[in-house]
Amino acid sequence: MINPSILRKIYKYYPLVYEQSNTKKVKLRKKKIEQKVLYKKKLLTKIITIAKGYEVVDWTDSETCCYEFKILLHKYIDLMDDDKMLIKSLNGERKDLRIFISVLEPYYYMFIEKTSYFDSEDKWEFSTEKSNISEYEKLMGEIISYLSKKGYIGLSHSDVLMLVPEVETTYKEVDNVTVFDCLFTDLVKII
């Protein structure tokens, strides 16, 4: 069951299917998206400071409802222009901490993404790392502490996967829209 408080907040920015002519909600969402540039640098600078020794990338898309940052979880390894060269240097496996911070409401979601590359098949595989994360708990804890002090609330994996009734987004149709799609981005698929 979706948290009614989160649902009310989402409906502030997304018209229900039967009220598509309600441009007031769409304008409010677009205004928040346009304003996000102002705060992004501060967030990014602090996350870079917290993640000392790790490469941090601003992955924010200008049209989404969030800031998105990726932290390469291989200490003292620089990103390379060529993803294949990087992943080969990491023995075929890369881990990134992906952080999504909503610009609509004070929520965040983060997870560790594992990328594997199989050179012999020229095949990429992406998954969510759910075990073996203890070595990153300190880093994640510091980020969570910082975001909490700024008033952000972390959402769980089950929270972000909840379906939002009677709403559609740019890339998701009614009955397929999740909390993640609304508060963060519908360009990324959470599994």
Side-chain angles (χ1 to χ4, degrees):
M1 179 73 182
I2 192 168
N3 179 327
S5 166
I6 293 174
L7 200 55
R8 275 192 303 279
K9 290 174 182 178
I10 288 172
Y11 288 149
K12 243 174 36 177
Y13 303 100
Y14 291 88
L16 298 173
V17 177
Y18 59 83
E19 58 176 14
Q20 284 299 324
S21 60
N22 185 342
T23 58
K24 183 178 174 184
K25 292 180 179 185
V26 175
K27 285 180 181 177
L28 178 59
R29 185 173 73 240
K30 286 184 179 189
K31 181 179 178 186
K32 290 269 196 168
I33 291 170
E34 289 168 2
Q35 293 173 342
K36 76 181 179 184
V37 173
L38 304 172
Y39 191 58
K40 180 174 73 167
K41 186 175 181 180
K42 185 176 182 177
L43 281 171
L44 180 60
T45 301
K46 184 60 177 178
I47 289 173
I48 288 171
T49 302
I50 292 170
K52 186 175 172 78
Y54 295 100
E55 189 77 23
V56 179
V57 179
D58 178 2
W59 210 253
T60 304
D61 183 288
S62 62
E63 295 182 23
T64 62
C65 298
C66 68
Y67 306 104
E68 181 182 355
F69 307 112
K70 275 184 158 185
I71 301 174
L72 179 63
L73 293 175
H74 301 272
K75 220 166 188 181
Y76 305 112
I77 301 287
D78 291 330
L79 289 174
M80 299 177 186
D81 289 337
D82 186 320
D83 284 337
K84 283 186 182 178
M85 282 178 55
L86 173 62
I87 203 153
K88 284 178 183 178
S89 75
L90 298 171
N91 298 318
E93 188 175 281
R94 168 184 176 163
K95 290 184 183 176
D96 293 278
L97 177 60
R98 296 189 66 180
I99 306 166
F100 298 87
I101 304 169
S102 179
V103 299
L104 300 179
E105 294 292 328
Y107 291 110
Y108 71 89
Y109 176 66
M110 69 171 79
F111 66 94
I112 295 177
E113 178 180 65
K114 182 171 125 181
T115 304
S116 302
Y117 177 68
F118 305 96
D119 194 25
S120 60
E121 304 168 40
D122 192 29
K123 179 183 168 192
W124 294 87
E125 187 176 281
F126 303 92
S127 60
T128 302
E129 182 73 23
K130 293 187 171 127
S131 58
N132 302 323
I133 63 169
S134 58
E135 65 184 288
Y136 311 114
E137 284 178 356
K138 183 176 184 259
L139 172 63
M140 293 170 71
E142 289 177 20
I143 293 169
I144 289 167
S145 176
Y146 168 69
L147 292 173
S148 294
K149 286 177 187 169
K150 291 292 179 188
Y152 289 95
I153 299 164
L155 294 178
S156 71
H157 187 69
S158 58
D159 287 337
V160 298
L161 291 178
M162 292 281 192
L163 291 174
V164 178
E166 300 189 51
V167 166
E168 63 185 2
T169 65
T170 304
Y171 298 106
K172 298 279 183 90
E173 295 179 4
V174 177
D175 298 328
N176 292 312
V177 176
T178 64
V179 167
F180 185 83
D181 298 325
C182 294
L183 290 177
F184 304 104
T185 177
D186 57 359
L187 296 173
V188 174
K189 183 175 178 167
I190 299 296
I191 50 173

